Amino acid sequence: MYSERLDKRAFDELRHMEAEVGVVPNADGSARFKIGNTEAIAAVYGPQEVKPKHFERADRGIIICKYDMIPFSVSDRIKPGIDRRDMEISGVITNALSRAVMLEEFPKSMIAINVYITQADAGTRCASLTAASMACADAGLPMRDLVASVAGGKIGDSIVLDLTKDEEDLHEEGATDVPMGFLPSKNEVVLLQLDGKISQEDLKKILAIGKVGADKIYQMEKEALKRRFLDENKS
Ligand code: CDP
């Protein structure tokens, strides 16, 4: 039984969010997205020449994304450097964003994205994808839609949205984690992963609360981009 969440949120409630673009002056586009105690900062460079050259595609551009947790992002200091988990998360962010950015408009080019997790309390791949998507829009890249990403899951008998690390670790309750990414206005899913076991029926419920949560994140993303645009027009 998981009848009340550890942080007293409703089962379908997101943590407090902050979204901001243009946070890295030296990048072509950048964004910060914070949800609860998880924060991601993304910086986009390009379109630029492809390096290494053998990754070049004649018909389209490519995205190369690097995800990294900075050593002080969790209470046990993380060993600096890229591990298997970082590589896996970099890959899923790259795949999801490649569905959003119109890469066919940049043949023989590369868009490089760096995402840093400054604070981690679960859901870092989702926060990274949301931040990277805002950063691509901030860089002025043509996109089919923004990506809005959040994790859902099941703890005990309850379907929950936006799990914290403490919730993920409620092993005796059998927490299941499902990171999701949506192109909200297209109603497309660009990220879907599963850590744990789930029935088809519960997965549908998780996707449904995930989409509602993603729509709220989408609003935050659009508001952050609008604020940036209005500020630029003022100065
Ligand atoms: O972060 P996300 O939920 O996308 O991925 P995860 O691999 O399921 O990691 C869950 C959480 O574990 C992270 O968000 C961090 O809070 C924590 N973690 C950690 O404390 N130390 C690590 N080396 C990796 C993850």
Side-chain angles (χ1 to χ4, degrees):
M1 277 284 282
Y2 187 58
S3 50
E4 187 179 37
R5 294 185 82 168
L6 296 176
D7 58 9
K8 311 282 186 248
R9 269 182 297 150
F11 288 112
D12 60 353
E13 189 178 338
L14 294 165
R15 290 176 281 179
H16 173 75
M17 294 183 281
E18 293 170 22
E20 178 181 17
V21 295
V23 296
V24 180
N26 291 329
D28 294 317
S30 60
R32 178 179 76 88
F33 182 69
K34 187 165 189 236
I35 185 158
N37 292 321
T38 291
E39 182 181 60
I41 293 178
V44 170
Y45 302 86
Q48 60 193 26
E49 196 186 328
V50 180
K51 281 187 193 146
K53 196 82 180 158
H54 65 269
F55 284 142
E56 187 177 284
R57 295 271 308 259
D59 58 337
R60 52 176 281 172
I62 59 163
I63 291 180
I64 293 193
C65 178
K66 285 190 186 137
Y67 161 103
D68 201 1
M69 287 173 85
I70 60 176
F72 54 80
S73 60
V74 288
S75 48
D76 295 338
R77 181 178 174 275
I78 286 187
K79 208 171 129 204
I82 304 293
D83 62 18
R84 282 174 69 94
R85 176 178 170 276
D86 298 335
M87 285 197 282
E88 183 239 332
I89 296 179
S90 300
V92 296
I93 298 170
T94 302
N95 287 343
L97 279 178
S98 299
R99 299 266 303 276
V101 178
M102 294 173 161
L103 292 170
E104 63 279 11
E105 301 212 0
F106 308 107
K108 299 184 178 177
S109 310
M110 167 176 112
I111 293 153
I113 306 176
N114 289 100
V115 187
Y116 292 101
I117 299 300
T118 54
Q119 283 182 63
D121 183 11
T124 65
R125 76 197 60 209
C126 296
S128 299
L129 181 51
T130 300
S133 154
M134 287 195 291
C136 287
D138 183 46
L141 298 175
M143 296 171 79
R144 296 175 58 234
D145 200 357
L146 289 162
V147 185
S149 179
V150 67
K154 188 172 182 184
I155 306 174
D157 288 333
S158 302
I159 302 293
V160 294
L161 184 64
D162 187 23
L163 287 77
T164 62
K165 177 71 177 150
D166 285 344
E167 285 187 315
E168 274 191 8
D169 288 347
L170 286 172
H171 281 310
E172 64 284 13
E173 302 277 357
T176 296
D177 184 36
V178 180
M180 296 167 274
F182 299 88
L183 302 184
S185 73
K186 306 263 175 213
N187 223 0
E188 281 178 37
V189 175
V190 292
L191 166 69
L192 184 62
Q193 292 188 287
L194 170 65
D195 185 8
K197 284 185 187 161
I198 202 82
S199 68
Q200 208 173 21
E201 199 183 316
D202 283 340
L203 182 60
K204 281 186 190 159
K205 289 184 192 158
I206 293 171
L207 275 163
I209 60 164
K211 175 66 170 63
V212 175
D215 285 342
K216 292 181 185 151
I217 294 170
Y218 189 50
Q219 291 309 322
M220 294 282 296
E221 296 182 86
K222 286 196 290 188
E223 278 161 27
L225 286 156
K226 269 189 220 156
R227 275 199 304 277
R228 164 86 151 153
F229 182 70
L230 292 174
D231 285 350
E232 259 175 23
N233 279 356
K234 259 190 246 157
S235 54

